[in-house]
Amino acid sequence: MTTSVVVTGLGVVSPNGLGTEDYWAATRSGKSGISRVTRFAPAQYPAVLAGEVPGFVAEDHLPSRLLPQTDRMTRLALTATDWALADAGVRPQDLPAFDMGVITASSSGGFEFGQNELRKLWSQGSQYVSAYQSFAWFYAVNSGQISIRNGMKGPSGVVVSDQAGGLDAVAQACRHIRRGTALIVSGAVDASICPWGWVAQLAGGRLSTSDQPGRAYVPFDAEARGHVAGEGGAILILEAEAAARERGAKVYGEIAGYAATFDPRPGSDREPGLRKAIELALADARVSPEDVDVVFADAAAVPELDRVEAEAINAVFGRRRVPVTAPKTMTGRLYSGAAPLDLAAALLAIGAGLIPPTVNVEPAADYGLDLVVSQARPADLRTALVLARGQGGFNSALLVRAAG
């Protein structure tokens, strides 16, 4: 019998809410966290909007010894992990070290830390570069720092597949739970809103250059022009369902099915891989399309990519047959942190019986989607599908199901 893996804790750091409660209150009411960049002066760059995590003061959440050795993304991740563990009712010091692991995703690593140290190198000399540069920039640093802070010596790793990475990390965490690890910290937090990170994101060619927060990131809209970048994400605590029930843990939901595919070479005549990922995830969960109550879309806001996603959803579920939402229009795309945040939203939506809205979007009819816009929609939700795609051809699909 396959071990059921459940989520027992959530820690959220989002542009429209710091902490799970604030995030969900903002998301269900359609409150956006997208505005003009404040972490650096953006006027000289084509893109000037971002989703920045508000009100986060690292000194309020972490010991001072950690601050000189960590990038903003790691500080956010460590704080989100503390909140997720507390939410799950878990004290790591009470569990065997080798029964706990950490599997996260990352898209870029600690860009801001790296930028600051490179500035010192160029302007002052190598003797002024922090020794912590050796790892603070590294894409695996969040997994490492979470493991060290919490004494977790079980399976540890990081997945790098851009926006799809957050789902891939959760799936890998599930595999370790099924092999016998008691608890895995998973999910992702990214933060690269700094000049170095900004230039790298602009190079991808998919950032919106609009300066209007209400119309800059509008997937499945005739005026779609690219996405707004953001920072943040979500950390989840995963456990075997039987063990979670035995200790009386609150259960948000079950990770029911997952699949990943890779797109064919550009210019080939082969079909993109997203539809196959959806079909394989449904098969993995042993559910039919009719069992899915809502789809949390990847929502690239690039017309040709929106078309691919809409066609995949319609091919599997039928035109306008399943509600679709993209709450990331309130946060921007958070790179590896985007899909875990959608996963958290899906679990909270199931618990609340409410589909959060896709804000500011005027759906183009030819996409054929039942897009939930303007305001939240009450619904009886038991199964949700979360989709994520990474630049370079990554596709991931993950199904979550109501507890019990």
Coordinates of all heavy atoms in Angstrom, one line a residue, residues 134-200:
S134 N 31.1 32.3 -0.1 CA 31.4 30.9 -0.7 C 30.1 30.1 -0.7 O 30.0 29.1 -1.5 CB 32.4 30.2 0.2 OG 32.0 30.1 1.5
F135 N 29.1 30.4 0.1 CA 27.9 29.6 0.1 C 26.6 30.4 0.1 O 25.5 29.9 -0.3 CB 27.8 28.6 1.2 CG 27.9 29.2 2.6 CD1 26.7 29.7 3.2 CD2 29.0 29.2 3.3 CE1 26.7 30.2 4.5 CE2 29.1 29.8 4.6 CZ 27.9 30.3 5.2
A136 N 26.6 31.7 0.5 CA 25.4 32.5 0.7 C 24.7 32.7 -0.6 O 23.5 32.9 -0.7 CB 25.7 33.8 1.4
W137 N 25.5 32.7 -1.7 CA 24.8 32.9 -3.1 C 24.3 31.6 -3.7 O 23.5 31.6 -4.6 CB 25.9 33.4 -4.0 CG 26.9 32.3 -4.4 CD1 28.1 32.1 -3.7 CD2 26.8 31.4 -5.4 NE1 28.7 31.0 -4.3 CE2 28.0 30.5 -5.4 CE3 25.9 31.1 -6.4 CZ2 28.2 29.5 -6.2 CZ3 26.1 30.1 -7.3 CH2 27.3 29.3 -7.2
F138 N 24.7 30.5 -3.1 CA 24.5 29.2 -3.8 C 23.0 28.8 -3.7 O 22.3 29.0 -2.8 CB 25.3 28.1 -3.0 CG 25.5 26.8 -3.7 CD1 25.8 26.8 -5.0 CD2 25.4 25.7 -3.0 CE1 26.0 25.5 -5.7 CE2 25.6 24.4 -3.6 CZ 25.9 24.4 -4.9
Y139 N 22.6 28.2 -4.8 CA 21.1 27.8 -4.9 C 20.7 26.8 -3.9 O 19.5 26.6 -3.7 CB 20.8 27.4 -6.4 CG 21.6 26.2 -6.9 CD1 21.3 24.9 -6.6 CD2 22.7 26.5 -7.8 CE1 22.1 23.9 -7.1 CE2 23.5 25.4 -8.3 CZ 23.2 24.1 -7.9 OH 23.9 23.1 -8.4
A140 N 21.7 26.0 -3.3 CA 21.3 25.0 -2.3 C 21.3 25.6 -0.9 O 21.1 24.8 0.1 CB 22.3 23.8 -2.4
V141 N 21.6 26.9 -0.7 CA 21.9 27.4 0.6 C 20.6 27.4 1.5 O 20.8 27.1 2.7 CB 22.4 28.9 0.5 CG1 21.4 29.8 0.0 CG2 22.9 29.3 1.9
N142 N 19.4 27.5 0.9 CA 18.2 27.5 1.8 C 18.1 26.1 2.5 O 17.8 26.0 3.7 CB 17.0 27.8 1.0 CG 16.9 29.3 0.7 OD1 17.7 30.1 1.2 ND2 15.9 29.7 0.0
S143 N 18.3 25.0 1.7 CA 18.2 23.7 2.2 C 19.3 23.5 3.3 O 19.0 22.9 4.4 CB 18.4 22.6 1.1 OG 17.2 22.5 0.3
G144 N 20.5 24.0 3.0 CA 21.5 23.8 4.0 C 21.3 24.6 5.3 O 21.4 24.0 6.4
Q145 N 20.9 25.8 5.2 CA 20.7 26.6 6.4 C 19.5 26.2 7.2 O 19.5 26.2 8.4 CB 20.5 28.1 6.0 CG 21.8 28.8 5.5 CD 22.7 29.2 6.7 OE1 22.7 28.6 7.8 NE2 23.7 30.1 6.4
I146 N 18.4 25.7 6.5 CA 17.3 25.2 7.3 C 17.7 23.9 8.0 O 17.3 23.7 9.2 CB 16.1 24.9 6.3 CG1 15.5 26.2 5.7 CG2 15.0 24.1 7.0 CD1 14.6 26.0 4.6
S147 N 18.4 23.0 7.3 CA 18.9 21.8 8.0 C 19.8 22.1 9.2 O 19.6 21.5 10.3 CB 19.7 21.0 7.0 OG 19.0 20.6 5.8
I148 N 20.7 23.0 9.1 CA 21.6 23.3 10.2 C 20.8 24.0 11.3 O 21.0 23.6 12.5 CB 22.7 24.3 9.7 CG1 23.6 23.6 8.7 CG2 23.5 24.8 10.9 CD1 24.5 24.5 8.0
R149 N 20.0 24.9 11.0 CA 19.2 25.6 12.1 C 18.3 24.7 12.9 O 18.2 24.9 14.1 CB 18.4 26.7 11.5 CG 17.5 27.5 12.5 CD 17.0 28.8 11.8 NE 15.9 29.4 12.6 CZ 16.1 30.2 13.7 NH1 17.3 30.3 14.2 NH2 15.1 30.7 14.3
N150 N 17.8 23.7 12.3 CA 16.8 22.8 12.9 C 17.4 21.4 13.2 O 16.6 20.5 13.7 CB 15.6 22.7 12.0 CG 14.8 24.0 11.9 OD1 14.2 24.4 12.9 ND2 15.0 24.6 10.8
G151 N 18.7 21.2 13.0 CA 19.3 19.9 13.3 C 18.7 18.8 12.5 O 18.6 17.6 13.0
M152 N 18.4 19.0 11.3 CA 17.8 18.0 10.4 C 18.9 17.3 9.6 O 19.5 17.9 8.7 CB 16.8 18.6 9.5 CG 15.6 19.2 10.3 SD 14.4 20.1 9.3 CE 13.1 20.3 10.5
K153 N 19.2 16.0 9.8 CA 20.3 15.3 9.2 C 19.8 14.2 8.2 O 20.6 13.4 7.7 CB 21.2 14.7 10.3 CG 21.8 15.8 11.2 CD 22.7 15.1 12.2 CE 23.4 16.2 13.1 NZ 24.3 15.6 14.1
G154 N 18.5 14.2 7.9 CA 18.0 13.2 7.0 C 18.2 13.7 5.6 O 19.1 14.5 5.3
P155 N 17.4 13.2 4.6 CA 17.6 13.5 3.2 C 17.6 15.0 3.0 O 16.7 15.7 3.5 CB 16.4 12.8 2.5 CG 16.0 11.7 3.4 CD 16.3 12.2 4.8
S156 N 18.5 15.5 2.2 CA 18.6 17.0 1.9 C 18.9 17.2 0.5 O 19.7 16.4 -0.1 CB 19.7 17.6 2.8 OG 19.7 19.0 2.6
G157 N 18.3 18.2 -0.1 CA 18.6 18.5 -1.5 C 18.0 19.7 -2.0 O 17.2 20.4 -1.3
V158 N 18.2 20.1 -3.2 CA 17.6 21.2 -3.9 C 17.3 20.9 -5.3 O 18.1 20.1 -6.0 CB 18.5 22.5 -3.8 CG1 19.9 22.2 -4.5 CG2 17.8 23.7 -4.3
V159 N 16.2 21.4 -5.8 CA 15.8 21.2 -7.2 C 15.9 22.5 -8.0 O 15.4 23.5 -7.5 CB 14.4 20.6 -7.3 CG1 14.0 20.3 -8.8 CG2 14.3 19.3 -6.5
V160 N 16.5 22.5 -9.1 CA 16.6 23.7 -9.9 C 15.9 23.5 -11.3 O 16.5 22.9 -12.2 CB 18.0 24.1 -10.1 CG1 18.1 25.4 -10.9 CG2 18.7 24.2 -8.8
S161 N 14.6 23.9 -11.4 CA 13.9 23.8 -12.6 C 13.0 25.0 -12.8 O 11.8 24.9 -13.2 CB 13.1 22.5 -12.8 OG 12.4 22.2 -11.6
D162 N 13.5 26.2 -12.4 CA 12.8 27.5 -12.5 C 11.5 27.4 -11.8 O 11.4 26.9 -10.7 CB 12.7 27.9 -14.0 CG 12.3 29.3 -14.2 OD1 12.8 30.2 -13.5 OD2 11.5 29.6 -15.1
Q163 N 10.4 27.9 -12.5 CA 9.1 28.0 -11.8 C 8.6 26.6 -11.4 O 7.8 26.5 -10.5 CB 8.1 28.7 -12.7 CG 8.5 30.1 -13.1 CD 7.8 31.2 -12.3 OE1 6.9 30.9 -11.5 NE2 8.2 32.4 -12.4
A164 N 8.9 25.6 -12.2 CA 8.4 24.2 -11.9 C 9.1 23.6 -10.7 O 8.6 22.6 -10.1 CB 8.7 23.3 -13.1
G165 N 10.2 24.2 -10.3 CA 11.0 23.6 -9.2 C 10.3 23.4 -7.9 O 10.5 22.4 -7.2
G166 N 9.4 24.3 -7.5 CA 8.7 24.2 -6.3 C 7.9 22.9 -6.2 O 7.8 22.3 -5.1
L167 N 7.2 22.6 -7.3 CA 6.4 21.3 -7.3 C 7.3 20.1 -7.3 O 7.1 19.1 -6.7 CB 5.5 21.3 -8.5 CG 4.4 22.4 -8.5 CD1 3.4 22.1 -9.7 CD2 3.6 22.4 -7.2
D168 N 8.4 20.2 -8.1 CA 9.4 19.1 -8.2 C 10.0 18.8 -6.8 O 10.2 17.6 -6.5 CB 10.5 19.4 -9.2 CG 9.9 19.6 -10.6 OD1 8.8 19.1 -10.9 OD2 10.6 20.3 -11.4
A169 N 10.3 19.8 -6.0 CA 10.8 19.6 -4.7 C 9.8 18.9 -3.8 O 10.2 18.0 -3.0 CB 11.2 21.0 -4.1
V170 N 8.6 19.3 -3.8 CA 7.5 18.7 -3.0 C 7.4 17.2 -3.4 O 7.3 16.3 -2.5 CB 6.2 19.4 -3.1 CG1 5.1 18.7 -2.5 CG2 6.3 20.8 -2.5
A171 N 7.4 16.9 -4.7 CA 7.3 15.6 -5.1 C 8.5 14.7 -4.7 O 8.3 13.6 -4.2 CB 7.2 15.5 -6.7
Q172 N 9.7 15.3 -4.7 CA 10.9 14.6 -4.2 C 10.7 14.3 -2.7 O 11.1 13.3 -2.2 CB 12.1 15.3 -4.6 CG 13.4 14.6 -4.3 CD 14.6 15.3 -4.7 OE1 15.6 15.4 -3.9 NE2 14.7 15.7 -6.0
A173 N 10.2 15.3 -2.0 CA 10.0 15.2 -0.6 C 9.0 14.0 -0.3 O 9.3 13.2 0.6 CB 9.5 16.5 0.0
C174 N 8.0 13.9 -1.1 CA 7.0 12.8 -0.9 C 7.7 11.5 -1.1 O 7.4 10.5 -0.3 CB 5.9 13.0 -1.9 SG 4.7 14.3 -1.6
R175 N 8.6 11.4 -2.1 CA 9.3 10.1 -2.3 C 10.1 9.7 -1.0 O 10.2 8.5 -0.7 CB 10.2 10.2 -3.5 CG 9.4 10.2 -4.8 CD 10.3 9.9 -6.0 NE 11.1 11.1 -6.3 CZ 10.7 12.1 -7.2 NH1 9.5 12.0 -7.7 NH2 11.5 13.1 -7.4
H176 N 10.7 10.7 -0.4 CA 11.5 10.4 0.8 C 10.6 10.0 2.0 O 11.0 9.1 2.8 CB 12.4 11.6 1.2 CG 13.6 11.8 0.3 ND1 14.6 10.8 0.3 CD2 13.9 12.7 -0.5 CE1 15.5 11.3 -0.5 NE2 15.1 12.4 -1.1
I177 N 9.4 10.6 2.1 CA 8.5 10.2 3.1 C 8.1 8.7 2.9 O 8.0 7.9 3.8 CB 7.2 11.1 3.1 CG1 7.6 12.5 3.5 CG2 6.2 10.5 4.1 CD1 8.0 12.8 4.9
R178 N 7.8 8.4 1.7 CA 7.4 7.0 1.4 C 8.5 6.0 1.6 O 8.2 4.8 1.8 CB 6.9 6.9 -0.1 CG 5.6 7.7 -0.3 CD 5.0 7.7 -1.7 NE 3.8 8.5 -1.7 CZ 3.6 9.5 -2.6 NH1 4.5 9.8 -3.4 NH2 2.4 10.1 -2.6
R179 N 9.7 6.4 1.6 CA 10.9 5.6 1.9 C 11.1 5.5 3.4 O 12.0 4.7 3.8 CB 12.1 6.0 1.2 CG 12.0 5.9 -0.4 CD 13.2 6.7 -1.0 NE 13.1 6.6 -2.5 CZ 13.7 7.5 -3.3 NH1 14.5 8.4 -2.8 NH2 13.6 7.4 -4.6
G180 N 10.4 6.2 4.2 CA 10.5 6.0 5.6 C 11.0 7.2 6.4 O 11.0 7.2 7.7
T181 N 11.3 8.4 5.8 CA 11.7 9.6 6.5 C 10.4 10.1 7.2 O 9.4 10.2 6.6 CB 12.3 10.6 5.6 OG1 13.4 10.1 5.0 CG2 12.7 11.8 6.4
A182 N 10.5 10.5 8.5 CA 9.3 10.9 9.2 C 8.8 12.2 8.8 O 7.6 12.4 8.7 CB 9.6 10.9 10.7
L183 N 9.7 13.2 8.5 CA 9.2 14.6 8.2 C 10.2 15.2 7.2 O 11.4 15.1 7.4 CB 9.2 15.3 9.5 CG 8.8 16.8 9.5 CD1 8.0 17.2 10.8 CD2 10.0 17.7 9.3
I184 N 9.6 15.9 6.3 CA 10.4 16.7 5.3 C 9.9 18.1 5.3 O 8.7 18.4 5.1 CB 10.4 16.1 3.9 CG1 10.9 14.7 3.9 CG2 11.1 17.0 2.9 CD1 12.4 14.6 3.9
V185 N 10.8 19.1 5.4 CA 10.5 20.5 5.1 C 10.7 20.7 3.6 O 11.8 20.4 3.1 CB 11.5 21.4 5.9 CG1 11.3 22.8 5.5 CG2 11.3 21.2 7.4
S186 N 9.7 21.2 2.9 CA 9.8 21.4 1.5 C 9.2 22.7 1.0 O 8.7 23.5 1.8 CB 9.2 20.2 0.8 OG 9.5 20.2 -0.6
G187 N 9.2 22.9 -0.3 CA 8.7 24.2 -0.8 C 9.8 25.0 -1.4 O 10.9 24.5 -1.7
A188 N 9.7 26.3 -1.4 CA 10.7 27.2 -1.9 C 10.4 28.6 -1.6 O 9.3 29.1 -1.5 CB 10.9 27.0 -3.4
V189 N 11.5 29.4 -1.5 CA 11.4 30.9 -1.4 C 12.5 31.4 -2.2 O 13.7 31.0 -2.2 CB 11.7 31.3 0.1 CG1 11.8 32.8 0.2 CG2 10.5 30.8 1.0
D190 N 12.2 32.4 -3.1 CA 13.2 33.0 -4.0 C 13.1 34.5 -3.7 O 12.0 35.1 -3.3 CB 12.9 32.8 -5.4 CG 13.9 31.9 -6.1 OD1 15.1 32.0 -5.7 OD2 13.6 31.1 -7.0
A191 N 14.2 35.2 -3.9 CA 14.2 36.7 -3.8 C 15.4 37.2 -4.5 O 16.6 37.0 -4.1 CB 14.3 37.1 -2.3
S192 N 15.2 37.9 -5.6 CA 16.3 38.4 -6.4 C 16.0 39.8 -7.0 O 16.3 40.1 -8.1 CB 16.7 37.4 -7.5 OG 15.6 37.1 -8.4
I193 N 15.3 40.6 -6.2 CA 14.9 41.9 -6.6 C 16.1 42.9 -6.2 O 16.1 43.5 -5.1 CB 13.6 42.4 -6.0 CG1 12.5 41.4 -6.4 CG2 13.2 43.8 -6.5 CD1 11.1 41.7 -5.9
C194 N 17.1 42.9 -7.0 CA 18.3 43.7 -6.9 C 18.8 43.9 -8.3 O 18.4 43.2 -9.2 CB 19.3 43.0 -6.0 SG 19.9 41.4 -6.7
P195 N 19.7 44.9 -8.5 CA 20.1 45.2 -9.9 C 20.6 44.0 -10.6 O 20.3 43.7 -11.8 CB 21.1 46.3 -9.7 CG 20.6 47.0 -8.5 CD 20.1 46.0 -7.6
W196 N 21.5 43.2 -10.0 CA 22.1 42.0 -10.6 C 21.0 41.0 -11.0 O 20.9 40.5 -12.1 CB 23.1 41.4 -9.7 CG 24.0 40.3 -10.4 CD1 24.1 40.1 -11.7 CD2 24.7 39.3 -9.7 NE1 25.0 39.1 -11.9 CE2 25.4 38.5 -10.7 CE3 25.0 39.0 -8.4 CZ2 26.2 37.5 -10.4 CZ3 25.8 38.0 -8.1 CH2 26.4 37.2 -9.1
G197 N 20.1 40.7 -10.0 CA 19.0 39.8 -10.3 C 18.0 40.3 -11.3 O 17.5 39.6 -12.1
W198 N 17.8 41.7 -11.3 CA 16.9 42.3 -12.2 C 17.4 42.1 -13.7 O 16.6 41.8 -14.6 CB 16.7 43.7 -11.9 CG 15.4 44.3 -12.2 CD1 15.1 45.3 -13.1 CD2 14.1 43.9 -11.7 NE1 13.8 45.6 -13.2 CE2 13.1 44.7 -12.3 CE3 13.7 42.9 -10.8 CZ2 11.8 44.6 -12.0 CZ3 12.3 42.8 -10.5 CH2 11.4 43.6 -11.1
V199 N 18.6 42.4 -13.9 CA 19.2 42.3 -15.2 C 19.1 40.8 -15.7 O 18.8 40.6 -16.9 CB 20.7 42.7 -15.3 CG1 21.4 42.4 -16.6 CG2 20.8 44.2 -15.0
A200 N 19.3 39.9 -14.8 CA 19.2 38.5 -15.2 C 17.8 38.1 -15.6 O 17.5 37.4 -16.6 CB 19.6 37.6 -14.1

